[in-house]
Amino acid sequence: MRRAVCRGLAVLLASLTMSLPAVAQSIEPGKEGELATLVKPQKGARACFGRSYDAKHMQSHPEQRVARMDFRLAYHIHEPDQFFPKGQRNYYFDLKVRLRGQSSSRPLTASGECSVSANGKRIFCGVECDGGGIVIRARDGDKLLIDLGAVGSIRMTEGCDANEEVGVCLLPGKDDRTFLLGRASECAAYENW
């Protein structure tokens, strides 16, 4: 973990993400691709995933910094307007991470939108303003694989009210590249995140 804003990695990220979709784009009905396997494109649909790494796991992965990870994904239909008469449709995500030995009581957070590549198979979830992102995919029916190494970094802060300029970049490391999370039994509505 380095104390820096992820903007310094913008050039590198641009080259890594050329095949990934742009963030902040409405997703047309029927073009959800793999996102629809995780969360159906229906008003209020959502899914939550998480994993807490126990002491045994952390001991066998001494270079792993992530001790807990939670990911939420929601499908949201905005109110109709002149540009989207049926309402703009987006997939929004929220990522929470607790690091090994983290002194703060608040987890690091990142949020933004998810979209699919042109072929509908690759899902990119990104933070606006050159904040990096992650690639996600469904695994084994009820699990989610988060790939931090596919993009290179994601900017995280200690909550929505935190100053982005003092955020930290979560970078992939030897033991911090991919994370397999299980589906949570409860998942708060998007409006309550």
Side-chain angles (χ1 to χ4, degrees):
M1 183 69 66
R2 295 183 188 152
R3 293 224 170 254
V5 176
C6 295
R7 283 187 205 131
L9 298 172
V11 174
L12 173 63
L13 289 175
S15 66
L16 292 172
T17 60
M18 286 178 63
S19 65
L20 297 172
V23 180
Q25 292 184 357
S26 178
I27 297 180
E28 293 179 43
K31 295 191 176 181
E32 299 88 1
E34 288 296 311
L35 275 165
T37 63
L38 292 168
V39 173
K40 296 209 180 301
Q42 299 169 346
K43 185 176 182 174
R46 60 196 180 270
C48 294
F49 302 86
R51 182 171 180 184
S52 193
Y53 295 92
D54 62 20
K56 183 178 178 181
H57 176 94
M58 296 302 279
Q59 186 174 11
S60 65
H61 296 87
E63 294 186 48
Q64 181 172 329
R65 297 165 296 174
V66 174
R68 169 135 195 108
M69 183 177 281
D70 293 291
F71 182 86
R72 300 186 284 195
L73 180 66
Y75 183 76
H76 185 73
I77 303 173
H78 295 268
E79 291 296 318
D81 61 23
Q82 65 181 5
F83 302 106
F84 298 95
K86 293 184 179 181
Q88 179 177 330
R89 292 139 195 273
N90 297 83
Y91 279 90
Y92 293 107
F93 82 95
D94 181 62
L95 176 68
K96 293 193 181 315
V97 171
R98 186 161 297 283
L99 300 175
R100 182 193 299 250
Q102 184 177 343
S103 59
S104 170
S105 62
R106 296 173 70 179
L108 296 173
T109 66
S111 58
E113 294 180 45
C114 297
S115 53
V116 291
S117 57
N119 67 8
K121 301 218 179 273
R122 193 162 185 187
I123 303 169
F124 171 70
C125 298
V127 177
E128 291 186 6
C129 300
D130 297 330
I134 54 176
V135 171
I136 64 171
R137 64 181 166 267
R139 281 300 268 289
D140 305 326
D142 63 343
K143 291 187 170 57
L144 179 76
L145 183 70
I146 293 182
D147 189 345
L148 177 61
V151 177
S153 74
I154 187 166
R155 183 180 59 235
M156 304 194 80
T157 61
E158 288 186 351
C160 290
D161 56 344
N163 180 352
E164 286 187 8
E165 295 300 318
V166 294
V168 294
C169 286
L170 181 60
L171 301 169
K174 180 182 175 189
D175 287 335
D176 289 300
R177 296 193 72 75
T178 60
F179 304 90
L180 187 60
L181 311 181
R183 189 176 290 265
S185 58
E186 293 188 24
C187 189
Y190 172 66
E191 295 76 19
N192 298 326
W193 286 5

